[in-house]
């Protein structure tokens, strides 16, 4: 019998894990490319991303309540749509979020010690991997500390942005032009900006992937998802408004770290080192959540022998998938030592949007008494995933499609091995 994980997380723990995964480096870096694509309509881009994220979150919450097992949409897709959609969801999540974990680790390194970013990133990955192996309760406690620090710094930044002396008008940059300002082009720009904003939202899946470790999951997970994403939407909107107040939309689009740029201009630059440290801490929080989510999905896929069965091992004392956690940590640490993977953010967003496309399709298959949502919610979420994913940069879309094609080959091979020789494979 496959060992199960221990149910040690309550509502507050689950909410904080979700907050830590979402209020990561995204709030410090995602608004710049979004503003560059959407211009003065960056607010519309944020709103589109928020609507898609809410629909996805509601669908995921109901699915997690119905199937409270580790693995998230990999499990939901397998149970409601068939093994192939489930596998592709899990494959996209593992590959996309592994790249995202590396990006978060490098972001932390660049903020904390720019001259040695790769080494700092690798050390951070290994340290947080060890923390996750020691037990999910310790991980949730660490997430509470990280989230509290980041929210505190962001609150100070927001107050300073609105109370400090106004920035001279000549330093406030106008919005960047968006392809001649024609409305069709601006709509495409808004959708493209939404794709980058979605990267900052795409952490609530961590709550669902912990379904096997949450107490009373049928009630706890839906509440945790709704609370976490509601808090994040408010935080993002307030931080974006504060950053625009200082820099203007053009200033937000001009640099890779708009919150840091704004902090340098207010209060004589005294907030700049504090924001720098907070951004590093936020990236570490997102990295911690990423390791949790990827390792749980890896474990679920290993249980079904789509990945090596050893990855499904559960530690007898801490009741964590320690082999999967260690393997994920080692892979991410190796990536950050040899490459700058921040350019993979677009690919990560594409893979995760496909993951949520499967989640919404699975939610539509739930009986009404289990779905407890109007059918238009998962339908709108699915449509949003397709539209926003298609609006990402072409190289991200092409890379994502290639990775899913490779996943299809892996599925065909592992499916045939699991069924044994002479047994026809079914999807």
């Amino acid at each position: 019998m496959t060992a199960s994980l221990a149910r040690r997380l309550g509502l507050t723990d689950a909410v904080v894990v979700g907050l830590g995964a979402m209020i990561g480096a995204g709030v410090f870096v995602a608004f710049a490319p979004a503003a560059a694509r959407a211009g003065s309509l960056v607010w519309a881009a944020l709103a589109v991303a928020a609507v898609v994220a809410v629909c996805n979150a509601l669908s995921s919450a109901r699915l997690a309540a119905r199937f409270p097992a580790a693995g998230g949409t990999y499990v939901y897709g397998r149970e409601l749509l068939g093994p192939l959609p489930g596998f592709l969801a899990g494959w996209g999540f593992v590959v996309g979020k592994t790249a995202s974990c590396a990006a978060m680790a490098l972001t932390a390194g660049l903020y904390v010690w720019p001259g040695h970013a790769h080494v700092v990133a690798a050390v951070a990955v290994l340290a947080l991997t060890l923390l996750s192996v020691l037990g999910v309760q310790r991980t949730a406690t660490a997430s509470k500390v990280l989230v509290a620090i980041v929210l505190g710094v962001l609150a100070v930044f927001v107050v300073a942005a609105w109370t400090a002396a106004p920035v001279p008008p000549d330093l406030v940059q106008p919005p960047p032009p968006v392809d001649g300002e024609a409305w069709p082009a601006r709509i495409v720009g808004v959708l493209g900006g939404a794709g980058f904003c979605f990267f900052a939202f795409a952490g609530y899946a961590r709550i669902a992937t912990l379904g096997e470790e949450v107490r009373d999951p049928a009630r706890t997970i839906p509440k945790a998802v709704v609370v976490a994403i509601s808090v994040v939407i408010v935080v993002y909107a307030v931080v974006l408004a504060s950053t625009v107040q200082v820099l203007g939309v053009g200033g937000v689009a001009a640099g890779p770290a708009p919150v840091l740029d704004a902090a340098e201009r207010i209060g004589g630059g005294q907030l700049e080192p504090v924001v720098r440290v907070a951004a590093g801490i936020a990236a570490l929080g997102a990295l911690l959540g990423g390791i949790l989510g990827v390792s749980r999905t890896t474990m679920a896929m290993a249980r079904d022998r789509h990945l090596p069965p050893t990855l499904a091992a559960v530690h007898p004392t801490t009741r964590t998938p320690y082999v999967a956690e260690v393997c994920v940590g080692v892979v991410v640490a190796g990536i950050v030592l040899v490459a700058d993977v921040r350019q993979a953010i677009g690919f990560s967003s594409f893979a995760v949007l496909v993951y949520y496309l499967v989640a919404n399709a699975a939610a539509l298959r739930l009986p009404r008494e289990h779905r407890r949502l109007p059918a238009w919610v998962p339908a709108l979420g699915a449509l949003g995933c397709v539209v926003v994913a298609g609006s990402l940069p072409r190289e991200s879309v092409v890379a994502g499609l290639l990775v899913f094609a490779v996943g299809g080959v892996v599925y065909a091979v592992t499916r045939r091995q699991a069924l044994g020789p002479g047994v026809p494979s079914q999807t």
Side-chain angles (χ1 to χ4, degrees):
M1 178 181 291
T2 302
S4 60
L5 304 180
R7 296 193 182 277
R8 294 173 175 168
L9 301 181
L11 176 61
T12 302
D13 297 320
V15 169
V16 171
V17 167
L19 290 177
M22 284 186 279
I23 305 180
V27 72
F28 294 96
V29 298
F31 295 144
R37 291 291 297 271
S40 59
L41 295 179
V42 64
W43 295 103
L46 181 63
V48 170
V51 169
V52 175
V54 168
C55 290
N56 294 346
L58 292 174
S59 295
S60 297
R62 296 317 315 164
L63 288 162
R66 179 67 180 85
F67 301 102
T73 298
Y74 166 70
V75 174
Y76 317 148
R78 182 193 65 198
E79 295 296 324
L80 294 169
L81 302 174
L84 178 57
F87 173 85
L88 292 177
W91 177 264
F93 185 85
V94 169
V95 175
K97 284 303 179 181
T98 297
S100 179
C101 285
M104 295 302 97
L106 279 168
T107 300
L110 289 168
Y111 272 91
V112 173
W113 197 358
H116 299 80
H118 294 275
V119 175
V120 172
V123 171
V125 170
L126 295 177
L128 293 182
T129 299
L130 176 61
L131 179 62
S132 69
V133 169
L134 290 176
V136 70
Q137 190 63 53
R138 290 185 176 89
T139 302
T141 300
S143 294
K144 290 177 184 177
V145 175
L146 297 177
V147 168
I149 293 173
V150 175
L151 288 178
V153 172
L154 288 176
V156 172
F157 166 76
V158 168
V159 172
W162 291 96
T163 59
V167 176
D170 59 320
L171 295 180
V172 178
Q173 300 185 40
V178 182
D179 295 336
E181 305 297 328
W183 273 107
R186 300 202 74 184
I187 292 174
V188 173
V190 167
L191 295 176
F196 288 104
C197 287
F198 186 81
F199 175 79
F201 281 111
Y204 47 86
R206 304 299 187 282
I207 301 172
T209 57
L210 296 174
E212 202 169 308
E213 296 160 275
V214 174
R215 296 191 297 268
D216 193 9
R219 293 185 178 183
T220 300
I221 291 177
K223 288 182 180 179
V225 168
V226 171
V227 170
I229 200 164
S230 299
V231 171
V232 166
I233 288 172
V234 173
V235 170
Y236 284 3
V238 171
V239 172
L240 178 58
S242 303
T243 309
V244 171
Q245 164 73 8
V246 176
L247 301 176
V249 175
V252 173
V259 176
L260 187 62
D261 294 340
E264 291 175 344
R265 293 193 182 183
I266 57 179
Q270 295 180 354
L271 269 181
E272 184 268 339
V274 179
V275 169
R276 186 180 295 278
V277 172
I281 291 174
L284 292 178
L287 172 60
L288 182 57
I291 293 171
L292 283 175
V294 174
S295 62
R296 270 61 180 176
T297 301
T298 299
M299 180 191 70
M301 296 179 72
R303 284 174 171 174
D304 292 340
R305 298 185 179 275
H306 288 306
L307 292 175
T310 305
L311 294 172
V314 175
H315 195 280
T317 302
T318 63
R319 311 303 297 171
T320 58
Y322 69 107
V323 176
E325 288 173 326
V326 170
C327 288
V328 169
V330 170
V331 170
V332 175
I335 292 173
V336 300
L337 282 175
V338 299
D340 178 1
V341 296
R342 285 180 294 170
Q343 66 269 27
I345 287 177
F347 158 71
S348 177
S349 293
F350 180 89
V352 175
L353 283 162
V354 173
Y355 173 88
Y356 284 117
L357 173 62
V358 175
N360 284 299
L364 284 171
R365 295 292 299 273
L366 279 174
R368 182 175 298 180
E369 63 271 19
H370 292 301
R371 189 175 68 225
R372 299 182 186 177
L373 289 172
W376 63 263
V377 172
L380 180 60
L383 176 63
C385 288
V386 172
V387 172
V388 174
S391 71
L392 288 166
R394 182 178 302 174
E395 58 271 20
S396 299
V397 175
V398 172
L401 292 175
L402 287 174
V403 166
F404 279 103
V406 172
V409 174
V410 172
Y411 171 81
V413 172
T414 58
R415 179 72 170 169
R416 186 172 296 278
Q417 290 175 344
L419 291 172
V423 180
S425 147
Q426 297 176 352
T427 59

